[in-house]
Amino acid sequence: AGGVVGGVVDRGGGRGGSPSPLVQLKVAQWSLFLRPLLVVIINLFSQHPALPQRLGHLVSLIALAGLVGFVEEGLYRGLFMKWLLPRGVMTAVLVSSVAFALTHALNLLGGQSVSATALQIVFSLLFGVVAALLRLRAGSLLPLMLWHAAFDLVSLLATAKHEHLGLVALLGACLAPPPGGLACVPHR
């Protein structure tokens, strides 16, 4: 028994004293997300988030960010990666990331400017590549869903728009090698 179920590590055993899938993720898997978490923190300070006046509004924003993180990671790093991995790691990473990035062009329909949308597409492409490679390294979608939701929540609460800082931070998180190897190179 055991394996990966729905992108969450399952060590078998089910109920009856077994740790939850969240606990079962190894410290090494969670440590992969320290640099992406830094991106969220940089975004937090560059976007000047403000809490809504009403608790209900805050709860709805948290729910929206959680839902978007769950759906987008489940689709692009879950299903797309699963379907594309037989064609090779590079194909799976790039195609799922490009599809994720191009989806953000739909924001033009909501009235977002062309320049803001272009920047969002570039950022989403980098975000997608980092997320896909982290998915391969961690073997789980759960930390990606949480990272994505946290990033989106900060963006939803933003009062200032400084996307370029987030883009630079994400690029740095991907390119700067940590001790023991590159953060963005999958290990098998």
Side-chain angles (χ1 to χ4, degrees):
V4 176
V5 177
V8 177
V9 176
D10 176 23
R11 304 273 188 248
R15 295 186 183 238
S18 288
S20 72
L22 192 62
V23 173
Q24 290 177 348
L25 290 172
K26 295 178 182 174
V27 172
Q29 290 168 308
W30 282 103
S31 68
L32 294 171
F33 293 89
L34 291 177
R35 286 178 188 228
L37 183 60
L38 180 61
V39 174
V40 172
I41 293 167
I42 289 170
N43 195 38
L44 176 68
F45 289 106
S46 69
Q47 300 289 334
H48 308 291
L51 293 177
Q53 296 294 327
R54 296 187 339 241
L55 180 62
H57 189 181
L58 177 61
V59 169
S60 66
L61 290 176
I62 292 170
L64 176 62
L67 180 63
V68 169
F70 176 79
V71 170
E72 288 185 348
E73 293 309 316
L75 180 62
Y76 295 103
R77 263 61 74 183
L79 294 175
F80 276 36
M81 292 285 292
K82 182 178 181 177
W83 292 334
L84 293 166
L85 273 172
R87 292 181 170 84
V89 170
M90 186 67 79
T91 299
V93 168
L94 292 179
V95 171
S96 66
S97 299
V98 168
F100 173 69
L102 292 177
T103 301
H104 290 81
L106 292 172
N107 289 324
L108 287 169
L109 299 176
Q112 184 169 277
S113 72
V114 172
S115 61
T117 302
L119 186 60
Q120 186 180 27
I121 289 170
V122 170
F123 180 85
S124 298
L125 179 64
L126 286 174
F127 188 102
V129 168
V130 171
L133 292 169
L134 286 170
R135 161 70 170 94
L136 293 171
R137 292 272 312 265
S140 176
L141 288 174
L142 185 59
L144 289 172
M145 291 173 176
L146 294 173
W147 174 44
H148 193 141
F151 186 88
D152 284 355
L153 180 61
V154 169
S155 296
L156 288 170
L157 295 172
T159 61
K161 296 292 181 189
H162 300 290
E163 291 91 353
H164 59 283
L165 293 176
L167 185 61
V168 169
L170 184 61
L171 188 58
C174 183
L175 296 178
L182 290 174
C184 293
V185 177
H187 292 249
R188 289 242 170 220

